Structures are given as C-alpha cells and as structure tokens.
Amino acid sequence: MGVHKWSLVALVLLNLGVFLINGLSTHNASTRPAIVNIGAIFTFDSTIGKVAKVAIEEAVKDINANSTVLRGTKLRLEMRSSNCSGFLGMVGALQFMESDTIAIIGPQSSVVAHIISHVANELQVPLLSFAATDPTLSNLQFPYFVRTTQSDLYQMNAVAEIIDYYNWRDVIAIFIDDDYGRNGVLALDDALAAKRCKISYKVGIPPGPGFGRTEVMDILVKVALLESRVIVLHVYPDMGYLMFSVARYLGMMADGYVWIATDWLSSSLDSSLPLPLEKMENMQGVVALRQHTPDSVEKKAFTSKWSKLTGGSFGLNSYALYAYDTVWIIAHAIDAFFDQGGIVSFSNDSRLSSGGFADLHLDAMSIFNGGKLLLDNMWKSDFVGLTGHIKFDSDRNLVNPAYDIINIIGTGIRTVGYWSNGSGLSTLTPENLYSKQVNRSSANQELHSIIWPGEVVTKPRGWVFPNNGKLLKIAVPLRVSYKEFVSQLPGTNMSKGFCIDVFVAAVNLLPYAVPYQFIPFGNGKENPSYTELSNYVMFIFAIGENTASTLGRIVLLIWLFVVLIINSSYTASLTSILTVQQLSSPVKGINSLKKTNDRIGYQVGSFAERYLLEIGIPQSRLVALGTPDAYTDALRKGSKNGGVAAIVDERPYIELFLSNQCTFRVVGTEFTKSGWGFAFPRDSPLSVDLSTAILTLSENGDLQRIHDKWLIRSGCSTDNSELESDRLHLKSFWGLFLICGVACFIAIFIYFCQVFRRFRNVARSTVDSDGSRSRRLQTLLSIIDEKKDPRDKKRQKVERSISDESKDCETGHDSEQR
Ligand SMILES: *[C@@H]1O[C@H](CO)[C@@H](O)[C@H](O)[C@H]1NC(C)=O
Ligand SMILES: *[C@@H]1O[C@H](CO)[C@@H](O)[C@H](O)[C@H]1NC(C)=O
Ligand SMILES: *[C@@H]1O[C@H](CO)[C@@H](O)[C@H](O)[C@H]1NC(C)=O
C-alpha cells in the first residue's frame, strides 16, 4: 500500500515537473501524445516492397531514437501487405482507419493508389506513396495523396529527350495495360509530341498471370515486322525480363535495335545484382533510367548500413531511399502539427452510420480531424534527406526531378549521363548544374557513348523498311512534254527517264532494301499539276523542286530570255552586233519583265504560274505552253504577234530546251540555287538517306553520266547559245575586209599604171636603136627591178621620175589605159 501511495505521489510530481518544463519551454507539448500510429501498405515480396520494408522500419527506428525530431512522441508503425491487389489494399487501408492511424505510407502500386486514395480522401488521412509514379495520380483529384517520389511525367520527358537527342522519330511502346503502364505511356506520347516524335505502335500487355512466353513471342514477332527499331519498355520486372529473353531468342537484341527501359529495370537490378549470367546476357546494350539521388555522407552511411540490415541478401535501390525519406516527411510534419497545436482526434462519419451500412460495421471507421493540418505541414516539408532536397513545388511534385541514364554492359551497368528537368541531358551530375543558368539548346545536350545491342557503338538508325510485304509507292507524273525526265513505257506500268535512273541509282546505294512501285499520276493529256501531286502522294518525284518544296514553295525558277539574232547581211558587223544586243535585251530580269506589258510563257502544270501570279503579274499576261515546239513558236512570234516575250520555267526543262535551240538564251539570275529534289512525306526517315545517296551519285560522277545519257542532245549546248551573241566570227568583219580589199586593189592598180607609163617612155626613146621583143621585156623588168635597188641615188632618181610620170598618167593617159 505504502509503496503504492509513494508511487502515486512520485507520478504527480513527475507530471508537475513535465508541466513545469512545458510551461517554460516555447512549445505547448502538453498536447503531444506518447505514441502516434502510422500505417504502411505495400506488397512485401515485390522488388520494391522488399527493400521498402527494411527502409521504412529503419527510418522509424532512427526517428524514435532521435529525441529532437518528435520530442518525446514515438511513431508506431503497422504494416500490411496489399499483394498488388486493389481490393486487399483497400481492406488494409480501412483497417488502419479503425486503429487511429494518422498517416499511411504506400501503396507502392499506382493501381492500388487510385483505389485507396478515395478512402484517404474521405477519412482525411494523408497517403504518402514512395513508389506510385503514375502521372495521373493528381493532387487535384486526390488532395490527400502525397507522392514522395518522382512522377513518371518527368521520366517520360527524359525518355523523349533521349529519343530526340539521337534523332529518332518513331518509337514502339510496350507497356503493362494498367494505370501505371497506360498513363505512363500517355505521358510519353505527350512528351514525344512536343519533340515532333511519336509512338508509332503501342502494345498493352494485360497485367496479372496468364501472359506467358508464347504470348510475348506473338507480340515481339509483330514488333519485329514494324518500321521502328526503338522500343520503350514500361512494364514490371518479371515481364521485362521475359521480354528480353524472348527478344534475344528472336534476334531482337542484335545490331540495329534500341531498347529503352524505364526505371523498373534499374530498381530491380540495383536490388538484385549480380543477376545470373544468362539474364544479363539477354539485355546487353539496353538503356535504362534510374531516379537520380545525389551522393551525400548520409546516403553513403545508409548504404553501408544496408548490407548489415539485409545480410547482403538484396541491394539498395532508389525506392528504398524514397521510402526512408517518406517516414521522415511524416515525422517532420507531425512535429510541426503538434507545434501548431494539432490534436489527434477522430470523429465518426455521419454518412456511414446513417446510410444503411450498419451491417458492414463501418462505424468503427472515423475521420481524422487534424488531417488537413497534418497534410499542409507535409506540403511545407523542407529538409535534406537521403534522396536530396525534400521540398514540394506549387504543383505538389518533389523539386529537382532527375534521372541517371544507364547502359547495361557485361555483368554490370554504366552511367552514361543524367537527365534533369532543368538542364536536360548532360554528363555532369544535376547537382552541379542547379546553381547554373543552363542553356537547353540541343548543342548543349550530351551523353557519353552508349554500347548498343549487338555491341555496336555507332548510333542505330532507329528504323528499317517494314518487312511487311508492302511496296513503297512512288508517284510518277505522266508527262506529255520533256519526256526525257520521266515518262511511262507505253502499255506497261514501268517508267523511264532521267529521274527514274537517278532514283534507281540512289536507292541502290542505300544500305537496306527499299521495295518500291511506280504509280503513274496525271491524265496523260497534259502535264499534271505538281501542287496537286504533292498533296496526293507519298512522295513526288520531280526534279527542280527542293525537298522542302512539297508545296512548291522553295523552287528553282529561272529566267528565260531569248534574243533573236537577225541573220540578215548587214547586222553581222561588229558594231551592228553590239547595237542589236542593246536593242533586243530590254528585259534584264524578272523585275524589268514585270514592268513591261509583254506576255510571259510558263509550262503547263508548273508552279511557275502560281509564282508569277504571286509576284503580281496579271493572269492575262500569262500564256500556258505545253511542249518545246510551243515554246519555239511563241518565242519566234514575240509578244506583239500573239507569242511571248519570255518564258519562266524550271532550269532543267530550260536546259533541255536550249540544248537543241541555239537561238534563245537564259537571262537574269536564278532565283535559288539549282538543286535536286525529292518530295517525301513530312518526317519520312528515307529523306535523309536518299539525299545522302544522291550526293554520293553526284560525287562519283554517276549523276553526270545519267544526265548526259538523257539530257545532252546534238547541236549547240546551253553554254554556246548563251555566249553565241557575244562571240565574233570571221563573217562579222566582212565589211572591214571589203574596205581593205578595195583599198588594196586601187593601190595595185595605180602602181601598175605608173610602171606602164614609165615603160612606154623608155620604150619610145630606145625604139630606133633596137626594137626587138627581148629588149623590150628587159627594159620592163629593169624598170620594175629598179624599185628594189638599194642604192639611194638610183632610188631617188626612179622615185622622182615616177612622181613626174604619175602626174602624166593621172592627167593625160588615164582614160587611155582603160
Ligand atoms: C500552441 O502554441 C502555438 C504557438 O506555438 C499556438 O498557436 C497554439 O494556439 C497553442 N495551442 C494550445 C492548445 O495552446
Ligand atoms: C520542370 O521544368 C518546367 C519548365 O522548365 C517547370 O515549369 C517545372 O516547374 C519544373 N518542375 C519541377 C518539379 O521542377
Ligand atoms: C545556347 O547555346 C547555343 C550554342 O552553344 C548558342 O548558339 C545560343 O545562343 C545559346 N543561347 C543562349 C540563350 O545562351
């Protein structure tokens, strides 16, 4: 009895002491109970559950051992396994409600989280999930749902940036068809769309048992027949490993394939390495993501403690760290809750007691009155945990989402870079970049080199021609003029021409087979409109239109101006040619042509018509011309006589036209660089490869050979006709030659006139002494010879006599000579 009395007194004193201490201290800890209940619900025997269980227990132990966190209050943890079942999870959650639980950790599964969140909402108990990554578990719909890990929204952004970084456009997504998988892939779809990439094929795998090797094989066989070779795998570990095993069996872990696994793989690997060699062999070259947690002293200490806790039976993964930090979020929030005078009290849900649910004995469940206050304190968390800075942003997501990008090589994994929400892909850890203003331009994105499946280091192309027996359809315009470019072989579906040869040569250069089929386009009566064609087909096949010119925008237009060289007699002299040049080139380019009122020709179906209209030339001045003969006729006639002053057309046609028309030429400057064009559907993976192939053709001379085969004709070449008018020929100078010739003739005539006159004088003086013929000839020769005599005396004498006699010749005897 005495003992009892004393102990009572001691208790009273102790209470008084506590009261005094409380009164003196700044907190009103009188409302702090000795124990608060928290619950945890997840699947104990899963990859994540196994490690989370150890981590959560350890966190509770650490918090209870630390008197500064809850200041006297202890956490009591109750754990239930939900076995990945939404129903069991809900039952477990309801059971917690009967035991005055103020916060629930879990669930790990997004599916279960969707269900339990309703319960948590109604009963106002915060639900903290360290592993439910489904991005649609939004805080708006479920105010009491607190995600204490990264949302898959960010993980999918990371995947999309990796895909964009490697310039892949189409991916295949294989996912578990439940909330986790489906919503994750939806987020991926959005993230890819923002990068102008897309998921070309989605394969949902039913969750739960019953989907075995045979079914996986069926799926992967289908996937192998598709065009894309980039596969994103967003599943659970068991299914993932099965996929890899079947994929390797089917040869899909070989050169050319890209496998990107979301963090299911890294968390499974981290907690179960080393895996059996066989399993590792199946996934060589796979790229995976892992939630990034910065290195710290605390993390290192926890990691070294881990093997003691588990006896080395399983490794630590990032979910364990998030689970550990989750308990601390609760502890800090409870502390703040008590600081603010929060009281742990519950009240009955009147709807349950009055709603006719009495038989279910739901009245034991009650609403946590302080739920709102506790929840608010959780959102205000701000401390450094094992996973880094624990803080929620305005959207209720943990700040600084970041991922490691890992590559599976040999028996281990290698980190090839990081992704963070702020800086994108980099080889520096995100912590290094948080303080810096990061330039997100693609030039600044970087990853270390990856060893891809098949042990290749070169980036896989990411797509192949689908092996599904479908032919690539190629529209071929049914031209009626300039058939050298492309035309149909009569009575067949085959085509021939310059374009066809270039295409075939280029396709043959591609490193893969491209089965194709030509499809004629047009009515065969006039050239088809290229604009229509490009709207209609897979790809048009035309020369002169650039790749980007599917709508005929970037276009090569050139000027054709023709000078008629008048081949009449007089205009052939040098001066007259220059004059004609000036007179017949009033058109210097498109602008001077625009100013005139002359009519302008264009080829039927060509985009030149639209171009001319767009630059403001009225339709009435435009003349559609169908054939090269029509070109010639119209140009010959000229604008005044119902023809045209000039023709605006694409360079290749002009070149062909001029190759047998020497009388016309090109004037003005080309509007754009002359180039080759193949029109592809937007983002067609073929476009880059075919462009490269054509460049190769151009470099090795094949393009020129094909050009010469089809487009070089006899007669004058284009260059000649352009220079023709500037070049001077022998006949250009005949006027000058005539003048020269006449002058020479007159000079010679005068000379002989003089010689003859002198000879007559000499002959007259010597006629009596000797009149023989030979003597006369001698005299004549000596007179001619005298001219060449070098002696001055004799020459002066002769010159004098000639000048005397020439006067006579001119005045007296000229008429006589004639
Ligand atoms: C406890 O103290 C806080 C301030 O620290 C005060 O706002 C609150 O009203 C107090 N609660 C009680 C029950 O005294
Ligand atoms: C991620 O980045 C976007 C834009 O860069 C920003 O609006 C968002 O708040 C960031 N999220 C987090 C959790 O930091
Ligand atoms: C980002 O970097 C690129 C290339 O490094 C540069 O061209 C661009 O101007 C930079 N942008 C900003 C905003 O600094």
Side-chain angles (χ1 to χ4, degrees), residues 150 154 157 393-395 397-401 419 421-422 440:
Q150 304 299 350
Y154 296 107
N157 280 343
D393 70 0
S394 54
D395 293 333
N397 286 314
L398 281 179
V399 293
N400 298 334
W419 176 88
N421 187 46
R440 286 291 294 260

Side-chain angles (χ1 to χ4, degrees), residues 179-494:
D179 298 293
Y180 155 79
R182 204 181 315 119
N183 295 331
V185 165
L186 277 180
L188 177 62
D189 222 353
D190 291 348
L192 285 173
K195 303 265 171 211
R196 290 207 25 202
C197 306
K198 66 173 194 293
I199 301 179
S200 53
Y201 189 65
K202 287 182 198 168
V203 196
I205 292 174
F211 205 81
R213 208 178 167 84
T214 327
E215 290 81 6
V216 167
M217 185 125 21
D218 288 348
I219 284 182
L220 290 184
V221 164
K222 255 184 237 159
V223 166
L225 294 178
L226 299 171
E227 178 175 301
S228 176
R229 281 287 182 264
V230 182
I231 302 160
V232 176
L233 203 50
H234 186 53
V235 294
Y236 296 127
D238 289 344
M239 179 50 70
Y241 291 129
L242 177 60
M243 284 271 167
F244 288 142
S245 162
V246 175
R248 182 160 171 239
Y249 174 80
L250 292 174
M252 293 171 74
M253 279 291 161
D255 190 0
Y257 282 89
V258 175
W259 289 84
I260 299 175
T262 52
D263 63 3
W264 62 266
L265 180 58
S266 58
S267 57
S268 164
L269 284 179
D270 284 345
S271 63
S272 48
L273 274 178
L275 283 180
L277 201 61
E278 161 89 22
K279 232 174 180 173
M280 287 306 284
E281 285 283 303
N282 286 345
M283 48 191 178
Q284 292 298 306
V286 170
V287 174
L289 282 90
R290 170 168 61 198
Q291 285 151 326
H292 175 77
T293 52
D295 283 330
S296 65
V297 179
E298 292 78 16
K299 186 174 151 189
K300 212 171 273 169
F302 188 73
T303 313
S304 55
K305 196 158 74 173
W306 185 262
S307 52
K308 270 180 244 152
L309 292 173
T310 60
S313 56
F314 47 87
L316 175 64
N317 65 27
S318 55
Y319 285 106
L321 302 176
Y322 281 110
Y324 183 88
D325 281 352
T326 301
V327 186
W328 280 84
I329 292 176
I330 296 175
H332 284 297
I334 289 175
D335 183 45
F337 171 77
F338 286 141
D339 264 1
Q340 292 155 16
I343 297 167
V344 179
S345 68
F346 295 85
S347 56
N348 282 335
D349 189 338
S350 55
R351 288 172 301 172
L352 285 178
S353 42
S354 65
F357 300 112
D359 296 347
L360 286 172
H361 303 290
L362 293 175
D363 44 337
M365 285 195 317
S366 43
I367 295 169
F368 174 33
N369 296 325
K372 180 83 179 65
L373 183 61
L374 182 61
L375 181 70
D376 285 346
N377 281 311
M378 287 175 180
W379 294 132
K380 284 186 202 140
S381 299
D382 191 354
F383 64 97
V384 176
L386 296 183
T387 58
H389 193 181
I390 302 288
K391 193 174 154 78
F392 295 93
D393 70 0
S394 54
D395 293 333
R396 307 278 159 90
N397 286 314
L398 281 179
V399 293
N400 298 334
Y403 288 85
D404 299 342
I405 296 159
I406 60 174
N407 184 202
I408 292 154
I409 308 167
T411 54
I413 56 186
R414 175 172 158 258
T415 304
V416 292
Y418 305 91
W419 176 88
S420 72
N421 187 46
S423 47
L425 302 173
S426 86
T427 51
L428 294 175
T429 58
E431 306 82 87
N432 270 325
L433 300 167
Y434 288 147
S435 52
K436 294 183 191 137
Q437 191 66 36
V438 178
N439 182 340
R440 286 291 294 260
S441 75
S442 58
N444 290 0
Q445 304 288 298
E446 193 190 5
L447 289 180
H448 290 303
S449 63
I450 290 177
I451 296 175
W452 304 100
E455 291 186 17
V456 291
V457 284
T458 49
K459 179 204 103 173
R461 197 171 63 237
W463 64 277
V464 287
F465 256 95
N467 190 12
N468 54 8
K470 280 190 201 150
L471 299 174
L472 190 67
K473 289 181 186 154
I474 297 161
V476 178
L478 267 180
R479 300 194 59 92
V480 292
S481 61
Y482 295 117
K483 290 188 165 193
E484 293 85 347
F485 287 106
V486 56
S487 67
Q488 203 175 12
L489 288 173
T492 68
N493 239 353
M494 318 263 281

Side-chain angles (χ1 to χ4, degrees), residues 74-115:
K74 301 274 184 237
L75 292 180
R76 187 166 64 201
L77 172 73
E78 205 176 320
M79 291 198 281
R80 284 184 221 279
S81 182
S82 69
N83 241 335
C84 276
S85 144
F87 177 69
L88 287 184
M90 190 168 67
V91 171
L94 292 176
Q95 277 178 329
F96 284 138
M97 300 307 153
E98 292 174 2
S99 57
D100 295 354
T101 302
I102 63 165
I104 300 172
I105 299 170
Q108 105 199 36
S109 143
S110 299
V111 182
V112 183
H114 272 281
I115 297 160

Side-chain angles (χ1 to χ4, degrees), residues 15 60 98 256 262 457 461 503 513 553 587 594 598 637 649 792:
N15 273 346
V60 170
E98 292 174 2
T262 52
V457 284
R461 197 171 63 237
F503 178 77
R553 241 172 250 126
V587 178
K594 208 171 125 184
D598 290 341
K637 277 191 203 152
D649 201 353
D792 281 354

